[in-house]
Amino acid sequence: MTEAESVTNQGVTGKPSGGLDVARIREDFPILARDVYGKPLVYLDNAATSQKPRQVIEALVRYYESYNANIHRAVHCLGEEATAAYEEARAKVARFINAPSPECIVFTRNTTEAINLVAYTWGRANVGPDSGVLLTLLEHHSNIIPWQRVTAEKGASLRYIGITEQQTLDLDGLEKLMDSRTRLLAVTQVSNALGTINPVQKLTAEAHRNGTMVLVDGAQSVPHMPVDVQAMDCDFFAFSSHKMLGPTGVGVLYARPELLEEMEPFLGGGEMIKRVTQEDAIWNDVPWKFEAGTPNIADAIGLGVAIDYLSDLGMENVRAHEMEISEYALRRLRQMEEVMIYGPPDPADRGGVISFNYPDLHPHDIGTVLDRHGVAVRAGHHCAQPLMHHLDVSGTVRASFYVYNTLGEVDVLVDALGQAHAFFSNDTK
Amino acid sequence: MDDLYREVILDHYRNPRYRGSLPSPTTSHEGYNPLCGDDVTVELLVKGGIVEEVAFNGSGCSISQSSASMMTEAIRGKTVQEVESLFREFTAMMRGSDDIDFDSIGDLEALEGVRKFPVRVKCATLAWHTLQEALRRLDQGENQAASNERAIR
Ligand SMILES: Cc1ncc(COP(=O)(O)O)c(C=O)c1O
C-alpha cells in the first residue's frame, strides 16, 4: 500500500465529518469500490454529476420489475401505482425546496431544459426591443445561450453583472445595469466553475423592487445546501436530479403558480391537454400543461428516493461536511507554492468546488496525470467560456466534493498534483 | 503515464523547435480545438514545391504543443508531396492503423501512445490539420493566381 492509499483509508474510516458518517455513506455507493488503473477511485467530479446510492439504483429496478406502466391515463392497477409514485416524487421535490405546493413543480430533462422552457415561453412573451435580460459572468452556458437566443430574436438587450477581484459578483454598479427595462435577472446560486455562492436572496429583493423577475439556477446549490425558494423569493428556479444522487434524465423547474398559469405551453402533445378538437385544444392544468408526452417516470421516482436519502442525512450536515472538506483542501492547496486557486478565499462563501491552475501547466495535462492516480477531476472551461475569457485562462482544474468524499481523498489529490508538477517540470529527467 | 508522455514529447514541450513566426510566409493558418481551447498557428515558406521554412505558435496542453514542434522538425526541407504523405501516415497512426511506415515518420512515432488516451488524440492532430489547411490555401492561392493570370490575358 502506498502512503497515499493508507491516508485514504484513514480518511474513509475516520471520524464522522460535519455530522455525516462518511464510512457508512460510502457503503451505499457501489461504484466507490472500484479501481481505476489499479488505484482506488477518488471521485472529485461531483459538480459534473454525482454518483448514485444503492437505494436509488434499486428504486429504478423495483419500478421496472414491479409497477412499470404509463401514468395519468391507465385504468389498471400498475398505472395507478406508477402515477401515485410519480406524483409522490413531485411532492417530495416541492417539500425539499419548500415550494408552496407540488403544482409549482414541473419535471423536465435537466436544468438546461428547465431554463429553455422559461426562455421560450415566458421569455418570448415578455422581452422585446425596449427591454432586456440581465445575466452574470458566473453563469453556466445553459443559463446564457437560451437568453442569447431569445434576446437576439426579440431585439432585446443582454447585459452581464461582472465579478470582483475576489471573484464574487460585482454589485457596485447594479443600479446602472438593472433599470426599468430589465425584465429578468437570471443568476446562478452557486458558480459551478469557481464555487462562488451568490447572494440570491438580496438580489431577488433588489430585482423585485425594480419590477424585475428572477430566475435562479440551482444546479449547484440544491444538491449541497438547504434551499428554500419561498425565503429566496425567486420567480423561477431550476436544477438537475443527476447532480444530487438521483438518476440522469430528470430536471426540475419551480415557478410561482401564477406564472405557470399565465405561461404558454412549451411543447405540445399528449398529457398536456384537456380536450382537443380538429382546430384547437384546451391546455391541461399546471404543472401537466408543461409535461407533454410520456415523462421520465422511473427517473423522477428515483429522484424522489435521492431526496429521501439527502433528507435523512440532513442538508445542514451535508453543507457542514463539504465546508470542512473544502477548508482542508484549500489549506493543503495553499501550501503548494505555485498553485493558483480561484474563487472567494473563505469556505463560508463557496460551495464544495475548488478551481485551480499551475501557472505553466495546462489543465488537461494535470487532469490526465491525476486520472492515472485514480483521481477524477474536471479540466477545462466548465461550460463557462465568458468567465474563463474574463479570467484570461483556457480553463482550470476543478475538484468538487460531495457527501462521500473524505479528507484522505484530498491528500491523494494533493499528492498526485505534486507528482504531476514534478513530472512536467523535471528538465533533467 | 509514460506511454502518453514519452521523453521525446516532454523534450519538445520544454524546448519547442521553430516556435515563433516567419517574416514573410507564403501561407499560414490558425487551428483551434474548441473542446479544450488549444490553438496552433502554422506558417510556411514554400518555394518551388519545397517547405523551406516553417514556424508554429500557440498555446495549449503539452500534447498539442509538442506535436506541433515535432511536426515542424519533421516537415522542414521536405517537398509538399512528402509532407502530404507524412500527414496521411501520421493521421492514420493516430486513428489506430497499424499499417504505418514507421521509418518514414521517425520521431513522430513517440506520439503513438496518445492513441490509448482517446480524448487526447485531437490534441496531437491539431497541428497537422492546421498544416493541411495552410497547404490547401497555398494551392488555392496558386490556382487563384493562375486564374487571375488567365483573366488578364
Ligand atoms: C450551474 C449549472 N447550471 C446548469 C448546469 C446544466 O445542468 P444540466 O446539464 O443537467 O442541464 C450545470 C451543470 O453542469 C451547472 O453546474
Side-chain angles (χ1 to χ4, degrees):
Chain A
M1 196 185 279
T2 68
E3 201 179 301
E5 283 163 22
S6 73
V7 173
T8 321
N9 289 344
Q10 271 171 29
V12 171
T13 54
K15 65 179 168 53
S17 150
L20 295 187
D21 184 347
V22 177
R24 228 208 59 219
I25 291 172
R26 290 181 70 88
E27 286 174 8
D28 289 332
F29 290 79
I31 206 169
L32 297 180
R34 75 161 276 182
D35 284 356
V36 174
Y37 309 114
K39 303 272 170 60
L41 168 66
V42 173
Y43 187 76
L44 302 179
D45 195 15
N46 293 288
T49 197
S50 77
Q51 298 303 344
K52 323 299 175 199
R54 189 172 277 123
Q55 289 84 339
V56 168
I57 300 166
E58 282 168 0
L60 299 179
V61 174
R62 206 176 318 123
Y63 168 75
Y64 285 119
E65 285 187 351
S66 56
Y67 61 102
N68 170 52
N70 212 327
I71 54 170
H72 294 316
R73 46 196 168 197
V75 290
H76 51 72
C77 170
L78 300 189
E80 275 173 21
E81 286 180 22
T83 304
Y86 180 76
E87 292 304 329
E88 174 57 23
R90 193 192 307 276
K92 285 176 185 176
V93 169
R95 283 195 295 274
F96 194 62
I97 58 170
N98 194 32
S101 76
E103 283 73 38
C104 355
I105 301 298
V106 177
F107 282 125
T108 62
R109 278 192 306 137
N110 45 36
T111 306
T112 304
E113 189 177 86
I115 297 172
N116 275 275
L117 190 160
V118 177
Y120 282 92
T121 57
W122 184 88
R124 284 175 107 185
N126 284 279
V127 303
D130 52 0
S131 64
V133 170
L134 181 59
L135 306 178
T136 88
L137 207 46
L138 294 177
E139 300 315 305
H140 186 282
H141 292 163
S142 69
N143 202 20
I144 297 178
I145 311 296
W147 303 116
Q148 286 181 343
R149 296 185 70 188
V150 168
T151 52
E153 178 192 316
K154 295 289 178 180
S157 73
L158 185 65
R159 294 176 179 168
Y160 290 83
I161 301 175
I163 57 172
T164 63
E165 291 217 329
Q166 295 224 325
Q167 288 150 14
T168 57
L169 289 182
D170 183 0
L171 300 176
D172 274 353
L174 187 60
E175 334 63 76
K176 286 213 196 74
L177 285 171
M178 190 158 63
D179 59 26
S180 59
R181 299 178 313 173
T182 313
R183 285 295 129 77
L184 180 82
L185 166 66
V187 55
T188 191
Q189 190 168 7
V190 177
S191 157
N192 70 304
L194 304 180
T196 313
I197 299 178
N198 294 324
V200 284
Q201 194 159 345
K202 182 175 152 222
L203 284 170
T204 308
E206 271 185 49
H208 285 170
R209 264 198 299 283
N210 190 58
T212 298
M213 301 274 234
V214 180
L215 177 145
V216 174
D217 174 349
Q220 297 295 343
S221 60
V222 176
H224 304 285
M225 58 186 65
V227 165
D228 179 334
V229 289
Q230 292 188 76
M232 194 187 300
D233 197 29
C234 57
D235 302 287
F236 303 102
F237 190 88
F239 58 100
S240 294
S241 156
H242 69 93
K243 293 181 196 284
M244 53 188 291
L245 310 182
T248 53
V250 183
V252 171
L253 172 68
Y254 156 82
R256 287 210 334 263
E258 28 336 338
L259 288 172
L260 287 178
E261 291 293 347
E262 75 178 43
M263 278 155 60
E264 284 294 306
F266 181 33
L267 303 174
E271 304 264 11
M272 52 78 71
I273 39 76
K274 270 189 179 151
R275 209 174 56 224
V276 183
T277 64
Q278 286 197 13
E279 292 75 33
D280 55 15
I282 298 173
W283 308 143
N284 202 341
D285 295 331
V286 297
W288 303 281
K289 175 170 107 181
F290 296 100
E291 294 181 3
T294 302
N296 191 341
I297 305 163
D299 294 316
I301 294 169
L303 168 60
V305 175
I307 286 175
D308 291 341
Y309 191 95
L310 287 170
S311 304
D312 284 348
L313 296 180
M315 291 310 291
E316 296 284 355
N317 295 331
V318 171
R319 171 72 182 136
H321 168 74
E322 287 183 30
M323 260 174 73
E324 185 177 329
I325 296 208
S326 302
E327 188 174 5
Y328 180 66
L330 284 170
R331 187 145 41 87
R332 293 286 325 260
L333 289 170
R334 281 184 191 131
Q335 287 162 358
M336 307 187 75
E337 258 168 31
E338 292 182 62
V339 174
M340 295 193 32
I341 303 170
Y342 301 94
D346 187 343
D349 300 331
R350 55 194 300 155
V353 170
I354 302 184
S355 244
F356 57 90
N357 264 331
Y358 272 105
D360 43 53
L361 284 188
H362 193 275
H364 281 197
D365 286 322
I366 298 173
T368 297
V369 178
L370 294 185
D371 180 44
R372 294 281 143 162
H373 285 83
V375 181
V377 295
R378 196 67 152 195
H381 54 58
H382 316 300
C383 296
Q385 284 182 5
L387 174 62
M388 295 295 127
H389 194 250
H390 175 84
L391 298 174
D392 197 22
V393 293
S394 65
T396 70
V397 184
R398 180 186 74 186
S400 51
F401 309 114
Y402 212 5
V403 293
Y404 34 70
N405 289 124
T406 67
L407 300 186
E409 289 181 312
V410 173
D411 292 330
V412 178
L413 166 72
V414 169
D415 199 47
L417 266 180
Q419 292 189 35
H421 187 234
F423 183 76
F424 286 106
S425 53
N426 176 7
D427 292 290
T428 54
K429 190 179 138 198
Chain B
M1 209 65 245
D2 292 341
D3 272 345
L4 179 61
Y5 297 110
R6 298 262 296 273
E7 197 46 41
V8 189
I9 300 179
L10 289 173
D11 179 47
H12 277 267
Y13 177 54
R14 292 172 191 140
N15 314 298
R17 326 290 201 270
Y18 306 108
R19 184 187 263 287
S21 53
L22 300 179
S24 45
T26 48
T27 181
S28 68
H29 187 62
E30 181 177 1
Y32 184 67
N33 178 350
L35 209 70
C36 41
D38 290 347
D39 69 90
V40 167
T41 300
V42 174
E43 295 183 345
L44 302 172
L45 181 72
V46 180
K47 270 196 190 152
I50 291 175
V51 177
E52 291 198 343
E53 294 291 344
V54 49
F56 85 97
N57 229 324
S59 63
C61 69
S62 59
I63 302 298
S64 69
Q65 301 304 301
S66 60
S67 173
S69 169
M70 292 166 79
M71 179 185 83
T72 57
E73 219 171 32
I75 66 172
R76 196 162 177 270
K78 296 240 161 66
T79 67
V80 169
Q81 270 173 354
E82 285 168 334
V83 169
E84 277 167 354
S85 109
L86 212 48
F87 170 86
R88 281 191 298 273
E89 292 285 323
F90 181 76
T91 48
M93 175 175 87
M94 297 314 295
R95 275 197 307 270
S97 163
D98 285 324
D99 186 18
I100 311 288
D101 178 4
F102 281 109
D103 284 346
S104 78
I105 67 169
D107 270 3
L108 297 174
E109 189 196 343
L111 286 161
E112 191 198 357
V114 178
R115 297 197 315 210
K116 288 195 201 139
F117 298 76
V119 291
R120 307 300 297 276
V121 167
K122 281 213 164 68
C123 309
T125 54
L126 175 63
W128 288 88
H129 286 294
T130 309
L131 167 73
Q132 199 199 25
E133 183 57 29
L135 289 174
R136 206 180 57 83
R137 289 178 170 211
L138 186 70
D139 264 5
Q140 270 178 354
E142 277 169 3
N143 291 342
Q144 195 65 47
S147 67
N148 283 351
E149 240 172 69
R150 271 198 298 279
I152 292 164
R153 270 196 223 128

